[in-house]
Coordinates of all heavy atoms in Angstrom, one line a residue:
E255 N -21.1 221.9 -13.5 CA -21.5 221.7 -14.9 C -21.3 222.9 -15.8 O -21.8 224.0 -15.4 CB -23.0 221.2 -14.9 CG -23.8 221.5 -16.2 CD -23.3 220.6 -17.4 OE1 -23.1 219.4 -17.2 OE2 -23.2 221.2 -18.5
S257 N -20.9 222.4 -19.6 CA -20.7 221.8 -20.9 C -21.1 222.6 -22.0 O -20.6 222.5 -23.2 CB -21.3 220.4 -21.0 OG -22.7 220.4 -20.9
C258 N -22.1 223.5 -21.8 CA -22.7 224.3 -22.9 C -22.8 225.7 -22.5 O -21.7 226.4 -22.3 CB -24.0 223.7 -23.4 SG -24.6 224.4 -24.9
E260 N -24.8 226.9 -19.7 CA -25.2 227.1 -18.3 C -24.0 226.9 -17.4 O -23.4 225.9 -17.5 CB -26.3 226.1 -17.9 CG -27.7 226.7 -18.0 CD -28.3 226.5 -19.4 OE1 -27.9 225.5 -20.1 OE2 -29.1 227.4 -19.8
T326 N -18.6 217.6 -14.9 CA -18.9 217.1 -16.3 C -17.6 217.2 -17.1 O -17.0 218.3 -17.2 CB -20.0 217.9 -17.0 OG1 -21.1 218.0 -16.1 CG2 -20.3 217.4 -18.4
P329 N -19.8 214.8 -23.1 CA -19.4 215.6 -24.2 C -19.9 217.0 -24.1 O -20.7 217.3 -23.2 CB -20.2 214.9 -25.4 CG -21.3 214.1 -24.7 CD -20.8 213.8 -23.3
H358 N -21.9 213.8 -19.4 CA -23.1 214.7 -19.4 C -24.4 214.0 -19.7 O -25.4 214.3 -19.0 CB -22.8 215.8 -20.5 CG -23.9 216.8 -20.5 ND1 -24.0 217.8 -19.5 CD2 -24.9 217.0 -21.4 CE1 -25.1 218.5 -19.8 NE2 -25.6 218.1 -20.9
V359 N -24.4 213.0 -20.6 CA -25.7 212.3 -20.9 C -26.1 211.4 -19.7 O -27.3 211.4 -19.4 CB -25.6 211.5 -22.2 CG1 -26.8 210.6 -22.4 CG2 -25.5 212.5 -23.4
A361 N -25.4 212.1 -16.7 CA -25.9 213.0 -15.7 C -27.4 213.3 -15.9 O -28.2 213.4 -15.0 CB -25.0 214.2 -15.7
H362 N -27.7 213.6 -17.2 CA -29.1 213.9 -17.5 C -30.0 212.7 -17.0 O -31.1 213.0 -16.5 CB -29.3 214.1 -19.0 CG -29.1 215.5 -19.5 ND1 -29.9 216.5 -19.0 CD2 -28.3 216.0 -20.4 CE1 -29.5 217.7 -19.5 NE2 -28.5 217.4 -20.4
V381 N -33.3 210.4 -23.9 CA -32.5 211.6 -23.6 C -32.7 212.5 -24.8 O -32.3 212.2 -25.9 CB -31.0 211.2 -23.4 CG1 -30.3 212.5 -23.1 CG2 -30.9 210.2 -22.3
V382 N -33.3 213.7 -24.5 CA -33.6 214.6 -25.6 C -33.2 216.0 -25.2 O -33.7 216.6 -24.2 CB -35.1 214.6 -25.9 CG1 -35.5 213.5 -26.8 CG2 -36.0 214.5 -24.6
S383 N -32.2 216.5 -25.9 CA -31.6 217.9 -25.5 C -31.2 218.6 -26.8 O -31.5 218.2 -27.9 CB -30.5 217.7 -24.5 OG -29.3 217.2 -25.2
G384 N -30.4 219.7 -26.6 CA -30.0 220.5 -27.7 C -28.9 219.7 -28.5 O -28.6 220.0 -29.6
G385 N -28.2 218.8 -27.8 CA -27.1 218.1 -28.4 C -27.3 216.6 -28.6 O -26.5 216.0 -29.3
H386 N -28.4 216.1 -28.0 CA -28.5 214.6 -28.0 C -30.0 214.2 -28.2 O -30.9 214.9 -27.6 CB -28.1 214.0 -26.6 CG -26.7 214.5 -26.3 ND1 -25.6 213.8 -26.8 CD2 -26.3 215.5 -25.5 CE1 -24.5 214.5 -26.3 NE2 -24.9 215.5 -25.6
A515 N -35.3 212.5 -20.0 CA -34.2 213.3 -19.5 C -33.8 214.3 -20.6 O -34.1 214.1 -21.8 CB -33.0 212.4 -19.2
G516 N -33.1 215.4 -20.2 CA -32.6 216.4 -21.1 C -33.6 217.6 -21.3 O -34.8 217.5 -20.9
G517 N -33.1 218.7 -21.8 CA -33.8 219.9 -21.9 C -35.2 219.8 -22.5 O -36.2 220.4 -22.0
C547 N -34.4 219.1 -15.9 CA -34.3 218.5 -17.3 C -33.2 219.3 -18.0 O -32.4 218.7 -18.7 CB -35.6 218.7 -18.0 SG -36.9 217.5 -17.4
T548 N -33.3 220.6 -18.0 CA -32.3 221.4 -18.7 C -31.0 221.4 -17.9 O -31.0 220.9 -16.7 CB -32.8 222.9 -18.8 OG1 -33.4 223.3 -17.6 CG2 -33.8 223.1 -19.9
D549 N -29.9 221.8 -18.5 CA -28.6 221.6 -17.9 C -28.5 222.2 -16.5 O -28.9 223.3 -16.2 CB -27.5 222.3 -18.8 CG -27.2 221.4 -20.0 OD1 -27.7 220.3 -20.1 OD2 -26.5 221.9 -20.9
N550 N -28.0 221.4 -15.6 CA -27.9 221.8 -14.2 C -26.8 220.9 -13.5 O -26.3 220.0 -14.1 CB -29.2 221.5 -13.4 CG -29.6 220.0 -13.4 OD1 -29.1 219.3 -12.5 ND2 -30.3 219.6 -14.4
M553 N -27.8 217.1 -11.2 CA -27.7 215.8 -11.8 C -26.2 215.3 -11.9 O -26.0 214.1 -11.8 CB -28.3 215.9 -13.3 CG -27.5 216.8 -14.2 SD -28.5 217.0 -15.8 CE -27.2 217.7 -16.8
Ligands
ZN615 ZN1 -27.5 218.8 -21.5

Side-chain angles (χ1 to χ4, degrees):
E255 155 67 43
S257 68
C258 190
E260 262 86 31
T326 305
H358 184 72
V359 170
H362 271 302
V381 182
V382 276
S383 74
H386 308 276
C547 289
T548 42
D549 284 349
N550 65 85
M553 64 189 193

